[in-house]
Amino acid sequence: MLAYALTVWYGASNIHFLYHKGVIFMQTVGTTKAYLGYMAVFSSLVMWGVSFPLGKYALQFVDVWTLLFYRIFSGMLVALPFLYKRYQPIKAHHMGTVVVWGVALVPVCLMLQFMSLTYTSASIASLAIGLEFPFVILWLYVLYKKRPNRLAFYITALGVVGLALIVGEFKMSSIIGVVLVLGGGMAFALGSVLSDKVATHYDPVFVSAIAMVLGVVVLFVPWMLFGTTPTGDIPLAVFGVVVFLGVFNSFLNILLWAYGCKIITSTRATQMIMVEPLVGAVVSIIWLGEYWYWGTVVGGAMVIGSMIMDSRK
């Protein structure tokens, strides 16, 4: 485990340099700040989209708790330097918001989503995660008393019917899997709604690093209790997938999402959420060879359609 940690740490030593060089390059080719925000959100959603098929592949060789812990642990190793380089004192009245934001986006969201993959396919999970926008509406009302309009209820109904068609072709285990995915979607929606407040007051890099540390703290005990795969039994290729999921699909994703929300607001960012299920479903079919029934195709189209309608309302 020490060798693994040192390898990831060494590979992460240039992340800070590459991040700044990438931003400078995009700015020199004439991009605007808003464009950078949209690109950050889009890139984040694409990487989140491939996490379901990658997770499904890795779960063939490793149990879900070991996969989750090493994923977040890898991301934390990359994030640790930023806790020092980008340190900002968190005000007392913001502490609870930052903690809830970090716990919702990292350990809770990822735990529920990856647990779902033990019950259902990656393509079904990818499409189900598209039904996150009703939870955004819910959290906006609970936290800020923003009432949804009537169209929002119609859009949600369309998405729910689509989800029922997706699940209808499958057995009870798929229903459990979809419920777990929706639970992760609810946690992600909470984190998204709070992203505006968190990213407005604090450096996105710094708070993203905090989120990764919180993830390791929350998942350490479940991993110790329920993780059954010895580290030495994990194939090297699977370790590579885990590191990719931790560095790119966790830390960098949270960073890009927070950065994008800071520029274009979480409301506009969630309007692009349809990218995630599309990428996940397509990659699952092409790479994992998963098969779609008619209900999956029609229901998936309804879910994606409801997301598009939500983005235009």
Side-chain angles (χ1 to χ4, degrees):
M1 183 173 177
L2 178 59
Y4 164 73
L6 290 174
T7 301
V8 177
W9 182 274
Y10 176 78
S13 60
N14 291 319
I15 292 291
H16 183 75
F17 172 79
L18 293 174
Y19 168 76
H20 281 287
K21 287 298 181 182
V23 172
I24 291 173
F25 171 77
M26 294 185 72
Q27 290 174 338
T28 58
V29 296
T31 55
T32 64
K33 191 174 183 180
Y35 179 74
L36 287 174
Y38 281 108
M39 285 301 298
V41 170
F42 178 80
S43 301
S44 175
L45 292 171
V46 169
M47 286 192 288
W48 259 319
V50 301
S51 66
F52 280 113
L54 286 175
K56 190 69 175 180
Y57 166 77
L59 286 172
Q60 300 176 69
F61 307 94
V62 61
D63 69 272
V64 65
W65 293 107
T66 301
L67 174 59
L68 279 168
F69 179 77
Y70 276 114
R71 172 181 180 174
I72 306 305
F73 184 70
S74 301
M76 187 198 71
L77 291 177
V78 177
L80 283 178
F82 296 104
L83 287 177
Y84 171 74
K85 294 179 180 180
R86 298 294 190 92
Y87 174 77
Q88 290 179 279
I90 299 177
K91 298 178 181 179
H93 62 280
H94 289 157
M95 185 66 70
T97 301
V98 172
V99 171
V100 171
W101 173 82
V103 171
L105 276 183
V106 179
V108 175
C109 176
L110 297 182
M111 177 182 67
L112 292 173
Q113 289 181 355
F114 268 47
M115 287 178 65
S116 75
L117 293 175
T118 62
Y119 293 95
T120 190
S121 67
S123 56
I124 297 300
S126 298
L127 290 174
I129 201 65
L131 209 62
E132 289 174 343
F133 61 88
F135 298 126
V136 173
I137 295 172
L138 173 65
W139 286 119
L140 285 173
Y141 176 73
V142 171
L143 297 176
Y144 305 116
K145 303 304 179 184
K146 293 184 179 180
R147 292 183 176 274
N149 55 35
R150 184 175 297 179
L151 179 60
F153 290 103
Y154 295 146
I155 293 173
T156 300
L158 177 64
V160 170
V161 172
L163 186 62
L165 288 174
I166 293 172
V167 179
E169 293 279 356
F170 295 88
K171 53 187 179 180
M172 187 64 186
S173 60
S174 287
I175 298 177
I176 296 174
V178 168
V179 170
L180 289 171
V181 171
L182 293 179
M186 190 169 188
F188 179 81
L190 174 59
S192 297
V193 170
L194 294 176
S195 289
D196 284 344
K197 186 174 182 180
V198 172
T200 298
H201 292 91
Y202 301 99
D203 184 348
V205 180
F206 175 65
V207 291
S208 298
I210 290 178
M212 301 310 299
V213 174
L214 289 172
V216 170
V217 171
V218 171
L219 292 173
F220 179 74
V221 172
W223 171 61
M224 292 295 292
L225 293 176
F226 307 115
T228 58
T229 307
T231 303
D233 292 347
I234 302 176
L236 185 61
V238 177
F239 251 132
V241 170
V242 173
V243 172
F244 178 85
L245 287 170
V247 176
F248 292 94
N249 284 66
S250 297
F251 174 64
L252 185 58
N253 256 12
I254 300 298
L255 167 58
L256 290 172
W257 183 260
Y259 176 77
C261 288
K262 182 175 183 178
I263 296 175
I264 65 174
T265 74
S266 61
T267 301
R268 291 182 178 178
T270 53
Q271 290 174 354
M272 301 171 62
I273 203 72
M274 74 283 294
V275 173
E276 182 181 357
L278 281 173
V279 171
V282 171
V283 173
S284 298
I285 293 172
I286 295 175
W287 182 40
L288 299 179
E290 295 185 352
Y291 179 72
W292 280 15
Y293 296 91
W294 71 267
T296 311
V297 176
V298 176
M302 293 177 70
V303 171
I304 301 289
S306 65
M307 295 167 67
I308 295 173
M309 290 174 61
D310 179 68
S311 68
R312 293 178 177 272
K313 73 177 189 296

